[in-house]
Amino acid sequence: MSQLFRRKAIAELLVEGESPYALKRALGAGDLVMLGIGAVIGAGIFGAIGTAAAGQYDAAGHLVRSGAGPALVLSFLFLGVACALAGLCYAELAAMIPQAGSAYAYSYATLGEIVAWIIGWDLIRGRQRGGRDLLGRLLHLAAAELRRPLAGVAHDRIPHGAAVS
């Protein structure tokens, strides 16, 4: 049982980073900032902000969920503070363990092997889910575009849901 929670010493992590087969650092600060912004902005973020501010209506025009109004601005301010604090935590870990650069390596050095294994698989699952959600949103948008009436074709003669070529 104690082997599940064994930790890797920071000195071992540093030695692994100096190996000729280790990955080399190629991204600069600007690259990492752009990567972080790209990870935060997804396919549906602008729609989510719109429905949060104005509310959500169903196809018949009935109000499903009322909008947040000015409280939305406050929630984004609180979210910004929370993200800044999480960034400071990662900056402190990066200063302590300069070879590492991921939650997996940080947790391996501080919490143990089993926690690092769980976090590693959670990171993989999160990337898979993000890709799935993005693909689903893009397919939904493509299907909505295909349902638009075509120029020169009587829209009332095309049954709803029929494939148009």
Side-chain angles (χ1 to χ4, degrees):
M1 184 70 168
S2 65
Q3 289 182 347
L4 293 177
F5 293 99
R6 68 177 175 210
R7 296 183 297 175
K8 187 174 277 194
I10 295 174
E12 287 182 54
L13 287 171
L14 294 174
V15 169
E16 286 179 3
E18 295 171 1
S19 168
Y21 303 108
L23 297 174
K24 304 295 180 219
R25 292 180 186 237
L27 298 177
D31 299 325
L32 293 175
V33 167
M34 291 299 126
L35 187 63
I37 291 171
V40 170
I41 298 176
I45 187 143
F46 300 112
I49 292 172
T51 58
Q56 186 175 7
Y57 296 89
D58 62 5
H62 299 101
L63 182 66
V64 175
R65 181 173 39 97
S66 61
L72 183 67
V73 175
L74 292 176
S75 69
F76 275 100
L77 289 174
F78 290 140
L79 178 66
V81 170
C83 288
L85 292 175
L88 289 173
C89 291
Y90 268 105
E92 184 175 351
L93 284 171
M96 289 175 21
I97 311 168
Q99 180 271 342
S102 69
Y104 171 79
Y106 295 146
S107 61
Y108 200 158
T110 57
L111 300 172
E113 188 171 2
I114 188 69
V115 175
W117 184 81
I118 291 170
I119 288 176
W121 278 106
D122 187 49
L123 290 170
I124 291 170
R125 184 195 57 81
R127 300 303 187 269
Q128 179 268 334
R129 183 176 179 190
R132 183 201 66 201
D133 292 346
L134 177 63
L135 180 63
R137 180 68 179 153
L138 292 175
L139 289 174
H140 176 75
L141 291 173
E145 286 296 318
L146 290 175
R147 280 196 288 271
R148 286 186 177 201
L150 301 175
V153 177
H155 184 56
D156 57 347
R157 292 186 183 177
I158 300 173
H160 183 69
V164 178
S165 57

